[in-house]
Amino acid sequence: MIADERIFDGINVLLSMQNPDGGFGTYEKQRSTPLLELINPAEVFANIMVEYSYIECTSAVIQGLSSFKKFYPNHRNKEIEYFFFIFFLNYFPNF
């Protein structure tokens, strides 16, 4: 069984990796702008200079945080609610 503190550490990492658009990239938070793509030296690989949000990664985080809230409703509840708010604000602006 995984200790609660280790689960909390994992949630802390997830919450710290949210991109400004509300989504999640594959391995780090987006730290630059798409303008960096203009100096991409690898012409055969497009969009590799910036860590964009991917729906697969974002979906996994949504599922993980939703499950986490069921078992630990009081741990970082405001931050998790804010995550969902930012996500829906950016991806579903008319919602």
Side-chain angles (χ1 to χ4, degrees), residues 38-95:
L38 296 174
I39 61 169
N40 181 356
E43 294 177 5
V44 296
F45 301 110
N47 300 330
I48 63 167
M49 301 295 288
V50 177
E51 182 63 13
Y52 296 100
S53 294
Y54 295 98
I55 192 63
E56 297 89 350
C57 300
T58 304
S59 172
V61 173
I62 288 171
Q63 292 175 49
L65 289 177
S66 296
S67 294
F68 176 80
K69 280 185 60 153
K70 291 178 187 174
F71 293 101
Y72 303 95
N74 298 322
H75 183 76
R76 295 195 69 179
N77 186 46
K78 289 181 181 178
E79 291 94 337
I80 293 171
E81 290 297 325
Y82 183 72
F83 155 76
F84 284 114
F85 173 75
I86 294 297
F87 171 77
F88 281 106
L89 184 67
N90 285 297
Y91 285 86
F92 302 101
N94 298 324
F95 183 63

